[in-house]
Amino acid sequence: MDARSIIAKLRRHDVPDAAELSWFAQGLADGGVSDAQAGAFAMAVCMGALGAEGRAALTLAMRDSGDVLSWDLDGPVIDKHSTGGVGDCVSLMLAPALAECGAYVPMISGRGLGHTGGTLDKMEAIPGVTTQVGQERLADIVGNVGAAIVGATAQIAPADKRLYAIRDVTATVESLDLITASILSKKLAASPDALVLDVKVGSGAFMKTPDEARALATALADTANAAGCRTSAVITDMNQPLARSLGNALEVAEVMRALTSGEVSLLSELSSALGGVLLKDAGLSASVEKGTAKVAEIIRDGRAADRFGRMIASVGGPVQFVENWDRFLPEANVIQEVTARESGYVAAIDGEALGLAVVALGGGRQVESDEIDPAVGLSGVVRLGTKVSKGEPLAVIHASREDAARRAEAALRQAITLGDTAPDVPPLIHERIGA
């Protein structure tokens, strides 16, 4: 076998067989496939379709390109993944809450991709935190703390780690097959007993329409269940940022306010709903509704905050982070409010445009070598359907320089549309595809 023949097969819209995909995945992992060939492969897959059988074969090939973890614990191992949105910091809230419910959560996460933020980048906005830990250390953290949010090591789905970075800079992010294989190769390598997949739909998601989101949710759930992991997919709304902040440290601050104040928000509501699905699928709750209520209570009464603090300390963060989080998080040099130039209802929000504005501020990567500024981003973003008067704030920009803030303001004004009438605000949860 060789990479050129496999790429040529894809170009002809023929699906490589399982052996060919396994060979290519190993080449991604061990360097036998060049960056140029990896990019051509990603583009060929993006321009065609692997189908259910080919998608499953690529997923398992990428999973098996490295180690597959095993566990010896006194409770179920469960996990969650989001397909990517803006202001989506659910993982930071949900992982500790699930650990408080008696589950074990080895959450192997990723970095920012395209216009969406990355969970690892958010974690690393906390001083001292390192998300790269070895397998023995991961097992120790999960066994003692109950939850860990870490990156894939060189031994976990190495084929995906290589392809993930290449997709980000070759405009091949938005492929159902590549998204499915990327997400599940890492998730299945962690050997969870149950998995919930948060599939975003709307202006801030990769999947813009309900049909696209349903196709991805079905592909993910079917592939994971076929691999022996009890999996549900939940289609959730991303026509506006989930949290009112976008940017790494700003989203951590949003999580900490929710965990320490007990206030109900879209962020806590979705975290509870996803947790309820997981607890039911893992046998820790008699129903989704009871599981949702349990997670909501744990978030509200501070138990999730305490567990979050233990989780952060276990990966090098400050021991007193929960008590003093606002002192530890970095702040931007320029903080500038953007106000409405006219009165009206917030009729539409272009979430992708907001995400790209944060990337342009330095809160994400445009090439692999870019360093992220954890302090930049947007906060206080208005909610869809809100009535604002002239002069009232639409959002607050956090930038490193005044010229960057001016560019972000222009992007922000383009992204937020005001109208004369209140729009119909979509529901937070559209649909659940059961295990």
Side-chain angles (χ1 to χ4, degrees), residues 100 139 142 160 162 205 212 216 223 242 300 305 341 353 360 417:
E100 277 293 318
V142 172
D160 175 66
R162 178 113 179 273
E212 290 175 330
L216 178 57
T223 302
L242 181 62
R300 186 171 55 250
R341 289 173 173 166
T417 301

Side-chain angles (χ1 to χ4, degrees), residues 89-372:
C89 36
V90 164
S91 292
L92 275 65
M93 179 176 288
L94 183 56
L98 291 171
E100 277 293 318
C101 295
Y104 293 91
V105 192
M107 196 173 282
I108 297 177
S109 299
R111 300 195 179 276
L113 190 63
H115 68 277
T116 68
T119 299
L120 298 184
D121 299 321
K122 294 165 193 175
M123 286 283 290
E124 291 175 357
I126 301 172
V129 165
T130 177
T131 58
Q132 297 304 132
V133 302
Q135 290 183 29
E136 289 187 7
R137 179 63 182 143
L138 173 60
D140 181 63
I141 294 171
V142 172
N144 288 291
V145 179
I149 298 176
V150 299
T153 67
Q155 293 78 37
I156 297 293
D160 175 66
K161 189 172 185 180
R162 178 113 179 273
L163 192 59
Y164 192 93
I166 288 170
R167 287 170 57 211
D168 196 17
V169 295
T170 56
T172 54
V173 170
E174 298 175 22
S175 160
L176 186 149
D177 295 324
L178 294 178
I179 292 172
T180 298
S182 177
I183 291 170
L184 293 180
S185 61
K186 295 190 294 287
K187 292 299 175 183
L188 296 179
S191 301
D193 299 307
L195 174 65
V196 68
L197 296 152
D198 180 5
V199 179
K200 301 294 188 186
V201 62
S203 68
F206 290 120
M207 301 303 169
K208 306 298 185 186
T209 69
D211 286 345
E212 290 175 330
R214 191 173 299 109
L216 178 57
T218 301
L220 287 166
D222 288 352
T223 302
N225 279 299
C229 177
R230 187 169 177 81
T231 302
S232 293
V234 182
I235 299 175
T236 68
D237 194 69
M238 189 43 71
N239 283 296
Q240 62 178 329
L242 181 62
R244 295 189 63 194
S245 297
L246 290 73
N248 297 299
L250 295 169
E251 290 185 47
V252 174
E254 194 91 9
V255 169
M256 296 315 301
R257 279 191 288 270
L259 289 177
T260 56
S261 72
E263 293 181 4
V264 177
S265 63
L266 291 181
L267 175 61
S268 63
E269 184 181 341
L270 182 55
S271 298
S272 300
L274 295 173
V277 173
L278 264 177
L279 293 183
K280 171 62 169 63
D281 286 350
L284 292 175
S285 176
S287 68
V288 170
E289 292 74 20
K290 289 182 178 179
T292 298
K294 184 175 183 179
V295 174
E297 181 182 0
I298 285 171
I299 291 172
R300 186 171 55 250
D301 67 16
R303 281 179 284 169
D306 292 341
R307 184 77 66 151
F308 183 82
R310 291 174 56 194
M311 185 178 74
I312 292 302
S314 74
V315 288
V319 174
Q320 297 296 318
F321 180 73
V322 172
E323 293 79 7
N324 300 290
W325 59 268
D326 52 341
R327 290 173 49 195
F328 285 114
L329 291 175
E331 293 184 355
N333 295 327
V334 178
I335 300 176
Q336 174 184 311
E337 190 175 73
V338 178
T339 59
R341 289 173 173 166
E342 58 185 4
S343 298
Y345 292 92
V346 179
I349 298 175
D350 186 339
E352 182 172 354
L354 290 182
L356 291 174
V358 173
V359 172
L361 283 167
R365 297 175 185 83
Q366 301 190 56
V367 297
E368 301 102 313
S369 58
D370 282 351
E371 289 191 12
I372 282 181

